[in-house]
Each structure stands twice: as C-alpha cells, then as structure tokens.
Amino acid sequence: MQHPSATPTKMLWTLALGCALLTACASDPSRVQPGTGRDQVLQQLGTPTAIYRTPTGERMQYSRGPAGFQVSNVDLDSAGRVYSVRQELNEGLFASTIKPGEWRVEDVLFTYGPPYQQTRVTSFNGTVWSWRYLQINNRRFLYIYVDPTGRVDHYNVGDDLEFDRRRWW
C-alpha cells in the first residue's frame, strides 16, 4: 500500500528534482578528472562556450555568464587529455593571473570569456569590463579596465549591490 503523502504529483516532483541535481553534478567542470579524454569531457559537460588553441593543446571554456558566477577552463594536452581544470572567477587568483600592461582583450577573453557588461566611467579613458563572481557566498564584481588600444590598464573588485537593491523585506 502506498503512503498517503506519496501522491503521484509528489513522486514526479521528487524524481524531477533528483534528475536536475544529477544533471547539475554531471555538468560541473570541477568534477572532471585529469587524464579524462576530450570526448568524455564533451559528453559530461556538453558543448563549451568557447574553444581556444593553446601552445600545448586546447582550452575548453565553460562560462555560466554573462550573469552567472563561474568561468571554468578545462585545458587539454596535445593528446586530448585533461591536465587542468580551474574556476577562474576566484578573488584569490586575480593578482597572479591578470597582467596589467601586458594583457590584451584576447587574453581577457581567453581567461574569463565574455563579460557581464562593458561600461565607461569618466575617470578612465577606456572601457570597464565586469564579471560577477562569488567570494564566500558574497556577490562581487571583477572590473577590468581596458584602454583604447585594447590593453589591460588595471583591475579591481567590488561588491555587487544590485541584489541588495532588489530585496524588499
């Protein structure tokens, strides 16, 4: 006999939720192990948002942008095997990754993919590119300042106050 609270509707919702959770886990780039083949990565994660050639193989980029909080780069060697998986939108990595004065727009896209938005400010002659990310569950922005020649001038980070403005309680 079926439990009274186990209605067909509840059972379908439970099944749908379980499938959604399994799909989310399966499509999480951080679960890809080194040595995994390219075809397995594509099967597990689906089509990347961008593919770049590298000196040693290729990079498959999986961006949750433009409004998401993660950009994961899956790097493959010349044999098509994963040797690195890294979630780039991590405040602890910015200082060692971003190269002001050296980086160009192509380097920014290679690392972070398309920005959430591009804006201008009166205090800088160029464009400010921004990405959303989470820092210990706090919504933040990475801002990269690109000069008129396409070179990265500098970067900074700040709080994402848009979410706070939408709260109504």
Side-chain angles (χ1 to χ4, degrees):
M1 182 169 153
Q2 191 175 22
H3 190 276
S5 66
T7 65
T9 303
K10 283 185 181 180
M11 289 172 36
L12 284 173
W13 276 109
T14 302
L15 181 62
L17 178 62
C19 288
L21 289 173
L22 284 174
T23 301
C25 290
S27 66
D28 178 4
S30 70
R31 294 185 176 272
V32 174
Q33 297 297 311
T36 303
R38 185 181 195 282
D39 290 342
Q40 287 176 281
V41 173
L42 291 170
Q43 184 178 16
Q44 183 177 341
L45 302 179
T47 304
T49 52
I51 297 176
Y52 299 95
R53 293 277 166 226
T54 67
T56 59
E58 77 177 340
R59 168 169 284 179
M60 295 193 300
Q61 191 171 76
Y62 290 89
S63 174
R64 307 260 181 181
F69 299 102
Q70 294 180 330
V71 174
S72 295
N73 289 320
V74 179
D75 292 329
L76 293 91
D77 61 21
S78 59
R81 298 266 175 218
V82 173
Y83 69 88
S84 172
V85 178
R86 185 162 112 165
Q87 201 293 100
E88 298 289 351
L89 292 175
N90 178 331
E91 199 166 296
L93 297 174
F94 298 154
S96 63
T97 303
I98 302 169
K99 306 290 184 215
E102 295 177 29
W103 266 21
R104 304 204 49 83
V105 165
E106 296 80 17
D107 301 305
V108 174
L109 292 171
F110 178 76
T111 305
Y112 300 112
Y116 168 68
Q117 64 184 5
Q118 295 181 30
T119 57
R120 297 182 80 68
V121 294
T122 57
S123 61
F124 177 71
N125 181 22
T127 307
V128 182
W129 292 27
S130 60
W131 290 261
R132 284 187 152 127
Y133 69 97
L134 292 176
Q135 181 66 20
I136 311 173
N137 292 327
N138 293 317
R139 294 167 180 252
R140 307 269 292 158
F141 272 111
L142 165 63
Y143 300 102
I144 296 181
Y145 293 72
V146 179
D147 73 18
T149 69
R151 188 172 308 277
V152 171
D153 184 80
H154 66 284
Y155 77 94
N156 67 20
V157 297
D159 292 326
D160 179 357
L161 302 177
E162 187 174 320
F163 181 71
D164 290 337
R165 285 190 285 258
R166 291 183 182 176
R167 286 190 208 175
W168 51 271
W169 70 88

